[in-house]
Amino acid sequence: MKTPFLLLFSTLLTTICFGAEKSHIVFVMADDQGWGQTSYNGHPHLKTPNLDAMAANGLRFDRFYAGASNCSPSRATVLTGRTNDRTGVETHGFPIRLQEKTIAQALSDAGYATGHFGKWHLNGLRGPGVPVLADDTHHPGALGFDHWLTVTNFFDMNPLLGNLGEFEEHQGDSSEIVVGEALKFIKKNAKNQPTFTVIWYGTPHDPMVASDEDRAPFADLPEQHQHQYGEITAMDRSIGALRKGLRDMGIADNTLVWYTSDNGGLDKFGPETMGGLRGAKNTMYEGGLRVPGIIEWPGHITEGRITDIPAGTVDMFPTIAEIAGLPDDCRLQPQDGMSLVPVIDGKKKERGSYLPFRHTERGVLTGDRYKLISQKGQYELYDLLKDRNEESNLIDSKPEVAKELIKQYTAWAETVDASVAGKDYPEGEVDANQPGRRFWYEDERYRQYFDQFKGRPEYEKYDKILRGESDGSTGQ
């Protein structure tokens, strides 16, 4: 806890460094976009001119990491600055604990208007996205968002979204719709207060449905590739709309836009999806964790730069906390991320510490050079400066490095175990009312909407359930 004097000094220093006017903040996250799926990273088919422009104008992280190798856990790290296991989000579909402290709560307390648009996947409901209900105990409002237009999981063309729990039909590409709605929210609030806007796409998660126009440039490729690349094309176009919208409002220079993805890409679209990195979504290798990462903040990052410093979604809350001058007690301890402000201002040339991960009984420490992986009861060690694709396991040839990293990982994992047990909370235990994960079709509240879900591409595999021909016990 800061003393009053230190808190005042910290606030004054933040004001000097970043200006008296509070910056607007926008977090944007793709769903299953691999590290290689931008043209600036050399994808052989995709053209992403708006992401390219954002990267050229801002700070591009070539070693940016999702908090875990699939979606819900990574989203928990964004909101808390803590590795996912600490928050109760063991893997996809688990709900975040309401005992956590989130960036949305902290910024709301600091006077920001807070809005969430798109995929949520932190309320314990599995299956394709359905609108989040107003009486859901874990809707975005319960975690600090004043306004939300949200679905439980991935969503597609012509989406059905929940506006503070009210179902709304929308027409068009899902990425363009949520960006358009987010811009309305920013425009409504930006004249009177700073804004914190979270846009979590459903693209390019399966199933993929792109317009004929967006598929056309990929006509010579397999149909599934056409749809995925077409969805990414539309998503990139929505990035252009977001950037233009901020310029049109006259707030682009003072708006920090942070772009990333929730995990590595899908290997069925080829190694170029991960830019040749080993592994894919759901693995702890680079292809499963390393994702695109860009910060654009024109008034503060005045020239485009590229950094190889390791950073990740777990760093987002600590970074914004420093920029916004938030009090230390707005974040639950222990924290696993660090502020990237020294990286943003160009004063830091290496991380100097390890990024930790723990997901489904596997773990990673990754640093400026070495990466330790713990999985299947064994350790692996890689020198990422010499071996980007993790081809040479050094666990036996670098025994001193391995010994030190295993020691660090073991000590850190013990603190995570304490967090899992609830020792970080004032109560010293996990709330007994914390729900588990379940499918939305098991929730009686959704049965009245089954007819409304029929015929949508994301629910195709659940057609028998929607028609009452199956109870879902087969997992279909």
Side-chain angles (χ1 to χ4, degrees):
M1 179 76 70
K2 290 179 179 175
T3 66
F5 172 76
L6 288 176
L7 182 58
L8 175 61
F9 178 76
S10 175
T11 303
L12 289 173
L13 183 61
T14 301
T15 300
I16 292 169
C17 293
F18 298 108
E21 184 182 359
K22 290 183 178 180
S23 293
H24 301 282
I25 301 160
V26 183
F27 284 178
V28 186
M29 179 176 274
D31 193 2
D32 287 359
Q33 181 187 19
W35 185 84
Q37 290 189 307
T38 62
S39 44
Y40 73 74
N41 271 337
H43 194 276
H45 303 293
L46 283 165
K47 303 298 180 186
T48 54
N50 296 293
L51 283 174
D52 295 355
M54 186 178 171
N57 193 51
L59 177 59
R60 172 180 136 190
F61 291 85
D62 277 358
R63 287 188 62 193
F64 197 82
Y65 294 90
S69 61
N70 65 33
C71 69
S72 301
S74 292
R75 295 164 199 278
T77 68
V78 172
L79 294 187
T80 66
R82 288 155 52 87
T83 197
N84 54 281
D85 273 8
R86 295 192 195 275
T87 72
V89 186
E90 303 169 32
T91 188
H92 66 91
F94 276 89
I96 192 171
R97 295 172 182 164
L98 299 182
Q99 293 160 287
E100 291 291 317
K101 295 182 177 181
T102 73
I103 185 172
Q105 291 166 338
L107 289 171
S108 180
D109 289 345
Y112 281 70
T114 57
H116 179 275
F117 300 86
K119 177 172 176 173
W120 183 234
H121 217 201
L122 290 171
N123 63 337
L125 293 181
R126 301 176 66 188
V130 292
V132 177
L133 300 175
D135 60 354
D136 191 309
T137 59
H138 288 63
H139 62 55
L143 278 301
F145 290 97
D146 308 323
H147 180 76
W148 42 278
L149 183 70
T150 304
V151 291
T152 57
N153 198 354
F154 55 87
F155 57 109
D156 224 299
M157 185 76 74
N158 304 325
L160 182 64
L161 306 173
N163 187 346
L164 298 174
E166 295 294 321
F167 284 30
E168 287 185 354
E169 298 264 5
H170 292 263
Q171 295 296 311
D173 179 83
S174 62
S175 298
E176 294 183 293
I177 286 166
V178 291
V179 165
E181 295 297 318
L183 285 170
K184 292 177 186 176
F185 166 80
I186 296 171
K187 186 174 184 178
K188 177 181 176 181
N189 291 283
K191 292 181 180 179
N192 302 312
Q193 63 189 125
T195 58
F196 173 55
T197 308
V198 172
I199 302 168
W200 284 350
Y201 293 128
T203 293
H205 195 291
D206 260 329
M208 300 150 194
V209 181
S211 69
D212 291 343
E213 181 181 356
D214 288 331
R215 289 174 58 190
F218 314 106
D220 294 338
L221 299 175
E223 184 176 2
Q224 194 171 37
H225 287 64
Q226 294 176 30
H227 280 293
Q228 199 207 35
Y229 296 168
E231 279 200 354
I232 293 174
T233 297
M235 183 181 73
D236 180 78
R237 188 167 61 243
S238 78
I239 292 291
L242 174 64
R243 298 174 74 233
K244 181 179 185 299
L246 296 173
R247 291 194 300 271
D248 290 347
M249 285 182 236
I251 61 172
D253 283 353
N254 195 38
T255 300
L256 184 156
V257 180
W258 200 326
Y259 181 86
T260 188
S261 180
D262 62 345
N263 48 248
L266 307 178
D267 55 9
K268 65 182 177 181
F269 292 100
E272 61 267 30
T273 300
M274 281 63 67
L277 298 170
R278 181 180 180 180
K281 178 181 178 178
N282 287 317
T283 77
M284 302 302 274
Y285 295 108
E286 291 292 285
L289 294 173
R290 194 190 294 198
V291 291
I294 308 168
I295 297 176
E296 185 174 29
W297 194 14
H300 298 268
I301 303 172
T302 56
E303 294 182 353
R305 288 187 286 122
I306 301 172
T307 180
D308 288 323
I309 296 173
T313 56
V314 78
D315 297 323
M316 296 173 80
F317 190 177
T319 302
I320 298 303
E322 181 171 351
I323 290 171
L326 302 178
D328 285 347
D329 63 2
C330 76
R331 291 180 287 147
L332 193 63
Q333 301 297 325
Q335 287 278 292
D336 297 300
M338 59 178 276
S339 172
L340 299 178
V341 167
V343 180
I344 292 171
D345 64 22
K347 294 180 179 179
K348 196 174 181 70
K349 303 303 179 185
E350 60 182 18
R351 186 177 183 90
S353 61
Y354 283 86
L355 263 174
F357 305 81
R358 203 174 82 169
H359 182 209
T360 56
E361 300 182 357
R362 302 166 299 167
V364 165
L365 287 183
T366 192
D368 296 301
R369 180 169 187 173
Y370 292 107
K371 175 180 177 180
L372 179 79
I373 303 177
S374 171
Q375 58 185 350
K376 299 179 180 178
Q378 297 182 324
Y379 289 101
E380 301 170 37
L381 179 68
Y382 299 97
D383 182 341
L384 294 180
L385 294 185
K386 294 182 178 180
D387 182 21
R388 169 186 179 273
N389 296 335
E390 300 166 292
E391 296 174 337
S392 180
N393 184 0
L394 306 177
I395 200 69
D396 295 322
S397 60
K398 292 281 186 180
E400 293 304 315
V401 175
K403 180 180 179 181
E404 176 58 28
L405 290 188
I406 291 170
K407 178 182 176 182
Q408 287 190 36
Y409 177 76
T410 302
W412 173 77
E414 289 176 355
T415 73
V416 178
D417 290 338
S419 300
V420 171
K423 302 302 182 184
D424 303 343
Y425 307 131
E427 304 87 349
E429 60 185 6
V430 177
D431 184 348
N433 295 316
Q434 173 71 2
R437 65 174 182 167
R438 63 203 184 284
F439 286 97
W440 50 258
Y441 56 73
E442 298 171 327
D443 189 326
E444 289 295 328
R445 295 173 298 175
Y446 279 103
R447 290 199 171 273
Q448 63 180 304
Y449 303 109
F450 278 15
D451 285 343
Q452 204 169 351
F453 298 160
K454 292 175 184 176
R456 293 179 176 274
E458 57 264 47
Y459 308 129
E460 184 176 350
K461 293 182 180 179
Y462 296 81
D463 186 64
K464 289 185 177 180
I465 295 172
L466 297 177
R467 296 182 184 281
E469 299 172 7
S470 169
D471 62 4
S473 59
T474 62
Q476 297 297 312

